[in-house]
Amino acid sequence: MSDFWQEDDSYKPVPLPHRADYSDVEMLERAETFYLLMKQRHTVRDFSTKPVPRAIIKKAILTAGTAPNGANMQPWHFAVLGEGPFRGTICEEAEKEEREFYAGRAGKAWLNALKPLGTNPEKPFLKSAPWLIVVFAERYGIGPGGEKIKNYYVPESVGIACGILVTALHNAGLATLTHTPSPMGFLNEICGRPENEKPMMIIVVGHPSDDATIPAEALHKKSLDQVASFLIGDV
Ligand code: IYR
């Protein structure tokens, strides 16, 4: 074990390619500007059919792929679905699951928690929004000889990538909805993804419809005191 670190020459440090060089004042300004931008993001359930160029989706996925992740395995796959007959199937399959969920599978407490959001089993946007991005988590990789390769911190890695994806799409000016029908096994077949990949969420992407609304509840964000504690320092 003691030779373990010395025998390997795969670690090759290179100089940090980019670094920010802002004053504290500039950083605070940038932090404020970014906060104001992100405060404008809302999960949207009413999408217009207005087309969205594929190039924006591609760039947002490249951005998501910059996420920090376990051992740089980048254990994700983004299956992008534009218009096509498969959209009707996804909508039907997801609504079938959701009907059971809302009919009782969720349990009383969960359904009560959802009441202020006004959600229901109808998911027309799965058919009508211009793009769906189905995010798959690669539970393990497969080597050239078909052997399993372990991935690390997969849910954490893919979760961060999804956060960056939603942020990138919002920054571009698009609306998103993170949808997590469960179970979601049908998505592997529809998207042609292998068994070692697990669907984590569908990110619905498009423009909001003219009459789009959000639940008032969504405007309520916890205060800094509620979500953060500072144990040392006072600047
Ligand atoms: N997947 C269901 C229910 C749902 C669950 C949570 I947690 C939400 O924040 C919103 C909805 C649906 O999409 O309706």
Side-chain angles (χ1 to χ4, degrees):
M1 195 63 189
S2 60
D3 291 340
F4 177 80
W5 300 103
Q6 281 151 33
E7 276 168 13
D8 191 280
D9 64 354
S10 62
Y11 172 57
K12 296 185 181 66
V14 295
L16 178 67
H18 307 284
R19 73 178 66 229
D21 188 19
Y22 306 118
S23 69
D24 287 357
V25 170
E26 285 168 319
M27 286 193 291
L28 185 56
E29 247 171 49
R30 291 172 65 89
E32 174 68 15
T33 303
F34 194 63
Y35 169 58
L36 292 177
L37 172 69
M38 292 313 295
K39 243 176 83 158
Q40 293 173 350
R41 188 206 61 80
H42 296 290
T43 290
V44 160
R45 293 185 175 78
D46 309 305
F47 285 88
S48 105
T49 54
K50 183 177 168 185
V52 169
R54 180 187 296 243
I56 303 171
I57 306 296
K58 287 183 175 176
K59 203 56 84 178
I61 291 173
L62 280 175
T63 309
T66 66
N69 66 92
N72 201 30
M73 297 298 194
Q74 303 166 61
W76 41 63
H77 180 87
F78 303 92
V80 184
L81 306 179
E83 273 173 45
F86 42 77
R87 294 289 294 277
T89 315
I90 291 184
C91 186
E92 276 163 36
E93 293 288 334
E95 286 184 343
K96 196 160 75 191
E97 296 296 345
E98 295 298 341
R99 277 194 292 273
E100 285 178 27
F101 175 92
Y102 283 95
R105 198 179 64 205
K108 268 217 170 75
W110 195 348
L111 292 178
N112 276 336
L114 288 177
K115 275 185 185 156
L117 300 179
T119 54
N120 63 49
E122 312 292 310
K123 308 293 172 191
F125 44 77
L126 291 175
K127 223 181 317 194
S128 61
W131 297 103
L132 303 186
I133 305 175
V134 186
V135 185
F136 287 87
E138 191 187 70
R139 292 182 293 131
Y140 54 89
I142 298 178
E147 73 279 12
K148 284 187 183 180
I149 299 170
K150 188 153 172 44
N151 284 338
Y152 304 93
Y153 298 105
V154 172
E156 292 86 346
S157 302
V158 181
I160 296 172
C162 287
I164 295 180
L165 180 58
V166 166
T167 303
L169 291 164
H170 173 65
N171 179 60
L174 292 167
T176 55
L177 164 67
T178 39
H179 181 62
T180 52
S182 106
M184 303 197 281
F186 62 90
L187 289 170
N188 280 75
E189 197 182 326
I190 292 175
C191 302
R193 299 312 301 167
E195 199 264 327
N196 59 318
E197 293 181 8
K198 181 182 184 322
M200 280 209 26
M201 63 178 83
I202 303 176
I203 298 183
V204 184
V205 188
H207 294 280
S209 65
D210 288 341
D211 58 356
T213 62
I214 60 164
E217 165 64 20
L219 295 173
H220 167 249
K221 299 293 174 204
K222 288 184 180 177
S223 70
L224 187 61
D225 285 348
Q226 286 173 301
V227 301
S229 43
F230 292 80
L231 303 187
I232 49 168
D234 62 358
V235 266

